[in-house]
Amino acid sequence: MIAIVDYGMGNVRSLQNAFEYLGADVIITSDIEELEASERLVLPGVGAFGDAMEAIRQRGLQDTLTRQAMELKKPVLGICLGMQLFARSSCEHGQHTGLGWLDADIRRLEVQRPLKVPHVGWNDLHFPPDDWLFKGLRPGHANFYFVHSYHMVCHDAGNLVATADYGGPVTAVVRAGNLVAAQFHPEKSQDNGLKMLENWVAWKP
């Protein structure tokens, strides 16, 4: 069973539809017992970092999520803002503390004209051709859909799996043990996104 964490800030229905299309058993929940009983967790997110962390704390989810991810080593997939929450901190609208699962921080995208912030639209990923997460996809032929104004700066280069080019390299996918996270929206990325989700569902860390 895959549990999509519902803390009030995410495209949970479209994610549920994507996993169900792949034949996965999936629920949307903020119930601690259901989260603990699940085999995998998905942490989505749309909106501001500080608001998301406050919503997670208000629902009493932070300790449970951290236990599942860091102690029990349950596979966790972060998507868009959900990925950014894995970091130690963010400077979005002030300074905020994240879940701290990765040695990383969130900073505003800085680009030169004619590029604009937010980064919205389709972009190619650069990734190792033999990486399991992108099995069935080819570098240079793998577009994914991005919507973000802030990006993750990894302090451990070993966590960086894939980048996109938007006025320079932008962190697109990170991984550390049982943790996987993507800045883009696989559920909005058509066949490429579905293939990536299928690979994650089949993955056994």
Side-chain angles (χ1 to χ4, degrees):
M1 175 65 72
I2 298 170
I4 299 173
V5 182
D6 182 11
Y7 60 97
M9 296 181 64
N11 292 332
V12 292
R13 294 299 176 190
S14 56
L15 268 172
Q16 181 185 36
N17 291 340
F19 282 114
E20 288 180 344
Y21 178 84
L22 295 171
D25 292 326
V26 59
I27 58 171
I28 298 170
T29 185
S30 59
D31 183 85
I32 289 176
E33 291 185 0
E34 290 183 331
L35 293 173
E36 291 178 344
S38 68
E39 298 172 357
R40 295 170 184 260
L41 298 176
V42 178
L43 185 64
V46 174
F49 189 102
D51 293 341
M53 284 303 304
E54 180 62 22
I56 286 171
R57 286 191 292 265
Q58 285 183 349
R59 287 164 172 77
L61 296 175
Q62 184 169 355
D63 289 346
T64 295
L65 293 176
T66 295
R67 180 171 178 270
Q68 301 298 306
M70 305 305 288
E71 295 180 25
L72 300 180
K73 303 297 183 182
K74 185 175 292 186
V76 183
L77 175 64
I79 295 175
C80 197
L81 176 59
M83 167 190 175
Q84 296 183 7
L85 298 178
F86 284 20
R88 297 182 306 186
S89 69
S90 172
C91 65
E92 184 177 6
H93 307 312
Q95 197 67 26
H96 304 281
T97 300
L99 294 170
W101 297 349
L102 294 178
D103 184 12
D105 295 291
I106 306 304
R107 299 175 186 168
R108 183 168 174 81
L109 280 171
E110 300 291 342
V111 298
Q112 300 294 321
R113 293 181 178 178
L115 298 177
K116 297 179 180 180
V117 176
H119 171 203
V120 178
W122 296 87
N123 208 331
D124 286 331
L125 295 195
H126 305 281
F127 55 86
D130 58 349
D131 193 275
W132 63 263
L133 188 60
F134 301 105
K135 182 180 179 181
L137 301 175
R138 291 187 297 155
H141 299 270
N143 284 343
F144 291 83
Y145 190 77
F146 289 78
V147 183
H148 64 118
S149 299
Y150 290 77
H151 69 115
M152 177 178 283
V153 176
C154 293
H155 303 301
D156 184 344
N159 292 342
L160 185 60
V161 176
T163 61
D165 185 7
Y166 195 68
V170 174
T171 299
V173 177
V174 292
R175 183 167 62 233
N178 57 304
L179 305 176
V180 178
Q183 181 60 69
F184 51 84
H185 287 276
E187 77 282 6
K188 295 182 179 180
S189 299
Q190 301 179 4
D191 290 347
N192 290 335
L194 288 172
K195 184 59 179 174
M196 195 201 87
L197 292 177
E198 181 181 39
N199 291 339
W200 179 75
V201 171
W203 172 55
K204 294 179 173 57

